[in-house]
Amino acid sequence: LRIAGNLTGQSIRELEKVCSDLPGGLELDLSTLKWADTQGIETIRRLRDRGAKVRNASPLIRMLLKKKH
């Protein structure tokens, strides 16, 4: 599943809905993700913690995913 642009507000809700409808083995391609707000990063973390594989994140997004608030 490719996430593009910015992950904020409504797009977070759309991502959560799409991911809840998909069977296991989810892979998130973040190669075209430009920005994610705090909720967006938390959503990606939750999906990763539930087994989703995160691929192709930019250095900024990787740093945000590692950083705990």
Side-chain angles (χ1 to χ4, degrees):
L1 180 63
R2 179 173 287 155
I3 303 172
N6 297 317
L7 185 58
T8 60
Q10 182 62 32
S11 61
I12 295 169
R13 289 184 288 280
E14 291 174 20
L15 175 62
E16 290 171 335
K17 181 177 180 347
V18 167
C19 291
S20 70
D21 293 341
L22 292 175
L26 181 63
E27 185 170 312
L28 301 174
D29 179 353
L30 306 183
S31 60
T32 56
L33 179 64
K34 303 285 186 221
W35 175 251
D37 66 12
T38 302
Q39 277 188 296
I41 292 296
E42 287 300 321
T43 299
I44 294 170
R45 282 186 189 138
R46 275 195 308 277
L47 292 169
R48 183 183 61 193
D49 291 347
R50 289 192 308 222
K53 291 185 167 88
V54 176
R55 304 278 188 238
N56 305 316
S58 71
L60 173 63
I61 298 296
R62 278 196 310 267
M63 181 192 71
L64 293 172
L65 286 170
K66 288 180 185 177
K67 191 175 183 179
K68 292 287 183 181
H69 296 278

